[in-house]
Each structure stands twice: as C-alpha cells, then as structure tokens.
Amino acid sequence: MSDIPGQSFIPGTQPGDGESGRPRPAREARAARTAPLLPGPPACNTGGKLAWTHRAISIDWLRVSFRAGGGHLDRVRKLLGEVFGPSEEAPGLWGYKRGLAFRGGARLSWANVGEEAGTGDSSCCVELQGGPLGTLDPAARVELCKRVAVGGRVTRLDLALDFFHDTYVGLVRAVHEACIAEQLCQFRKWMALVPHDGPDVDGYSVYLGSMKSERYVCVYDKGLETGTRELGQWERVEVRWSGDAADHVGQDVLGAPEFGARAFDLVLGSMSFREKGTGNDGHVNRRELLPWWRDVCDGGVPRAMVPKREKRTLGRFVSWLRESVLPTVCGLGAAVDRGHLEVLEHLVGERPRIRSSPTLGLLLADFRESVQARPFAAPF
C-alpha cells in the first residue's frame, strides 16, 4: 500500500525493475527547453523500460462554481463543515465578495455582501486544493468531490498519477528525452526545469502545453518537491483541465462507477509519445508508441477527451456581467464615490470600438427580442 494519503491504486501489470540507479545531480541550474537531461540509467541500458513498484491515481484539485438559486451555498457550507470542521471568515476568491476558510485550505466564496456567513442563495464557488484533499482517504476524497460538484460547473480539475520505486522510476527523464527527440504528441510547446539548491537538485519537471490552455500537463519529481523522497523515487504525471474541458472531464470521471480506472484512462489520453514519422507514417495514428509509454499505458485504455462547447447565450452573458463584472466595477466606484456607469466610461472610454465576432452574432437576435419585450427607459 502507498504511504501517500488520498490515492486510489491502478490495476494492471507492472514492468520489471530493470537496471536502475540514483541519478547524480547536475552542477548548474538550467531551465526551459535547453535544460539538460539529468544523469540516470540510459534508455539503451534498460531497453527503454521504466521501473515502479506501484502506481496510484488521485484528485489533486477541484474548483466548482454555482449560479444563484438552488440553495447550493448553504448545502456546500454544511458539507465542508462536516468534512473539515469549523471555518473562519476570509476574503472571497475569484472576484466574489465574501468567503470562508476551512481546515487545510478549503475555501468557499460567494457574491452577495448582504448574505450571512455561508448562508442564503447567492452564486458561489468552492475550491478544494491538494492540501485539504490530501487529508482524506481515497474513498472519502472521491465521495466529497462527487457531492460538492452536484448542480455546479467544474471550472478546474487536476488528476495526479503517481509512480513509486525504491531507487529510480525514470518517467520524468524519459518524458524529457522524448521531448528533445520530438517524440511528444498532442502538444506544440514544452519546457523542462531543473532547479538547484547549491550543488543539489531540488526539483525536476517537464511542462507540456500552455498554462493558458484548457489542458496542461506537468511531469515532475514529487518526492523532491515535498522533500520526502530521494530523486526518482516518487514521480508524478499531473493533468490540469480548466474551462469547458474541466466541466466535461469532471462530469465524466465523477459520474463513473469506477473512478480509478476512468481517471487513469483520461490521464493517459491527455498525451502520447510516439516514434517520429516520415512519409506514409507521418500521421500520428500510424506512428508506433514508444516502448516505455506502452508500459505506462498497460492496464488502461487512453481516452482523449474533447469538450463539448456550450453556445454563448444572452442569459449566460448577463449572468457573467451580473456576477463577475459589475460587483468589481461597483467596488471600484464605491472606493472613489462614483457610480458604476461612470467607472465603466472612465475605464473603457465613452465609445469603445465595436468588433464583429461570432459571439456578437449569437447574442444579437436574443438581445433584440429582449429589447422588444422590455424597451429601454426614456432618456433623462
């Protein structure tokens, strides 16, 4: 069993230990795509295989937002209180006015200043990070996330796949080597980071994709990050989904009867590493998986998640204005004793440039119907 709390184990065969050894730290700190491979057992000596004694999958971050109505604020507050105990008032996150902080760092934020602490029917947002989730056992962690997400929209979801070995896993180095060799698929950008503390390596990470995208992957040495294990003994693949992708993945994995198997498949499907293709083998689906990545995928079926985009409606646009934009604008105005219309004019100008876009076309018909049903008030 893993000595790391809050994780579910993954079924499937494990590769042999092969030849492994503790890599020696490099002498200089280097970052970005030019960061060197840390010394370790070369792929040619291990047959391209990695080594691990066991693997585990877990939820490392969950953020869910709720619209006003439905009593979600009161329900979530009571649920977090049952799991994490008493709370204390704290500033709201993500533009919300008020908030509560629970043990371990779990946060609940809501919009209306007039609402009492965690009660009422305001729009709200709950944030469960790795810290508070890590205090729960695997079953309790998944159950809490499922109960919290009911009726809400998942806006961030992180799944973490951990690999453990007594000496050296080798996954981070293998990913780094594949990126250098242009064998990374499904991403255009990558970056490697090898920070040092004097002569000692205190981290080893490879980032895939952009933090601004809805799917972002980090493959890194978790043991070094936490200071609990030696280099290569605890390595992690962490996939972060946000926006529509997070909501789509959240509904899929939190609604699955077997969380561990579904989460494992989604993590595997978020990236792949294949031989470089030429000629007729240029298409990614015709290229062979790298042997070590086949070993990683053993026991699972990679699922590439393509989110279904929600159409932008006038109702969603008005909700965004009311719950996210206007509270901030009104707060700025209150600080200088001005109305929100004056603040908007000061910030963006009297006549902002009109830009044609697909979103404007989608909203225009609904807006015209809204004006016909409820005409503008006569000017002063």
Side-chain angles (χ1 to χ4, degrees):
M1 295 294 289
S2 168
D3 56 0
I4 310 301
Q7 296 173 319
S8 302
F9 287 95
I10 299 167
T13 59
Q14 313 295 341
D17 288 347
E19 180 182 341
S20 60
R22 185 181 186 279
R24 293 172 298 174
R27 290 292 180 184
E28 300 177 2
R30 298 181 179 90
R33 296 180 68 136
T34 56
L37 288 166
L38 288 186
C44 59
N45 291 347
T46 63
K49 292 186 177 181
L50 308 181
W52 62 82
T53 54
H54 58 280
R55 300 180 290 187
I57 191 82
S58 61
I59 300 176
D60 195 60
W61 199 300
L62 179 70
R63 182 188 303 141
V64 186
S65 61
F66 302 89
R67 295 180 180 179
H72 297 295
L73 175 60
D74 190 50
R75 177 185 67 84
V76 173
R77 179 192 60 83
K78 291 180 179 178
L79 176 58
L80 296 182
E82 292 172 0
V83 175
F84 298 111
S87 61
E88 58 183 19
E89 290 200 37
L93 301 177
W94 307 111
Y96 290 95
K97 291 288 186 179
R98 302 185 61 184
L100 293 175
F102 294 82
R103 173 175 56 86
R107 298 291 293 271
L108 175 63
S109 305
W110 64 97
N112 297 341
V113 176
E115 301 283 3
E116 296 181 4
T119 63
D121 209 18
S122 167
S123 59
C124 59
C125 175
V126 61
E127 187 109 12
L128 298 176
Q129 304 175 5
L133 289 175
T135 63
L136 307 176
D137 62 60
R141 174 186 290 210
V142 175
E143 181 63 23
L144 173 62
C145 292
K146 288 183 176 181
R147 293 176 64 186
V148 163
V150 172
R153 181 174 185 270
V154 178
T155 58
R156 176 174 172 179
L157 176 65
D158 293 11
L159 295 179
L161 174 59
D162 292 302
F163 297 76
F164 303 92
H165 195 267
D166 294 336
T167 53
Y168 187 63
V169 175
L171 178 63
V172 183
R173 187 178 188 276
V175 170
H176 190 180
E177 189 175 38
C179 290
I180 294 173
E182 300 181 1
Q183 296 168 324
L184 168 67
C185 301
Q186 299 178 234
F187 291 97
R188 293 175 180 267
K189 298 180 179 179
W190 66 273
M191 180 181 73
L193 185 64
V194 186
H196 287 62
D197 181 10
D200 299 323
V201 175
D202 62 359
Y204 190 12
S205 307
V206 182
Y207 302 91
L208 310 179
S210 168
M211 292 189 68
K212 297 181 180 180
S213 68
E214 293 189 337
R215 176 175 51 93
Y216 182 61
V217 177
C218 180
V219 186
Y220 65 105
D221 194 303
K222 187 66 175 178
L224 289 183
E225 184 201 54
T226 59
T228 57
R229 301 210 178 186
E230 295 295 321
L231 178 65
Q233 293 182 352
W234 176 14
E235 298 184 357
R236 168 174 288 190
V237 178
E238 192 168 290
V239 186
R240 176 195 301 176
W241 287 277
S242 59
D244 290 339
D247 192 42
H248 196 53
V249 173
Q251 292 180 28
D252 185 78
V253 72
L254 295 177
E258 293 292 337
F259 163 80
R262 182 60 60 88
F264 183 50
D265 294 345
L266 289 169
V267 169
L268 296 179
S270 64
M271 75 206 86
S272 66
F273 300 90
R274 297 173 179 265
E275 301 287 353
K276 290 186 65 175
T278 57
N280 293 332
D281 294 330
H283 193 279
V284 65
N285 292 333
R286 299 192 187 103
R287 292 154 53 185
E288 290 291 329
L289 293 174
L290 297 182
W292 62 266
W293 184 245
R294 281 202 304 268
D295 288 341
V296 171
C297 294
D298 187 25
V301 180
R303 289 168 51 92
M305 184 60 67
V306 180
K308 298 178 181 179
R309 307 287 181 182
E310 289 188 36
K311 286 188 176 180
R312 193 68 176 269
T313 64
L314 187 63
R316 290 186 66 196
F317 180 66
V318 170
S319 176
W320 172 69
L321 286 175
R322 181 184 295 117
E323 298 177 11
S324 300
V325 178
L326 288 181
T328 302
V329 173
C330 290
L332 295 174
V336 294
D337 196 24
R338 296 287 183 176
H340 64 281
L341 295 180
E342 292 179 281
V343 174
L344 283 173
E345 182 177 337
H346 175 78
L347 293 175
V348 302
E350 184 176 357
R351 289 184 179 275
R353 181 171 61 90
I354 298 176
R355 182 178 61 184
S356 178
S357 68
T359 298
L360 179 61
L362 290 172
L363 300 182
L364 192 55
D366 289 342
F367 181 64
R368 284 172 175 161
E369 292 181 6
S370 174
V371 172
Q372 291 176 356
R374 183 169 55 88
F376 284 104
F380 293 107

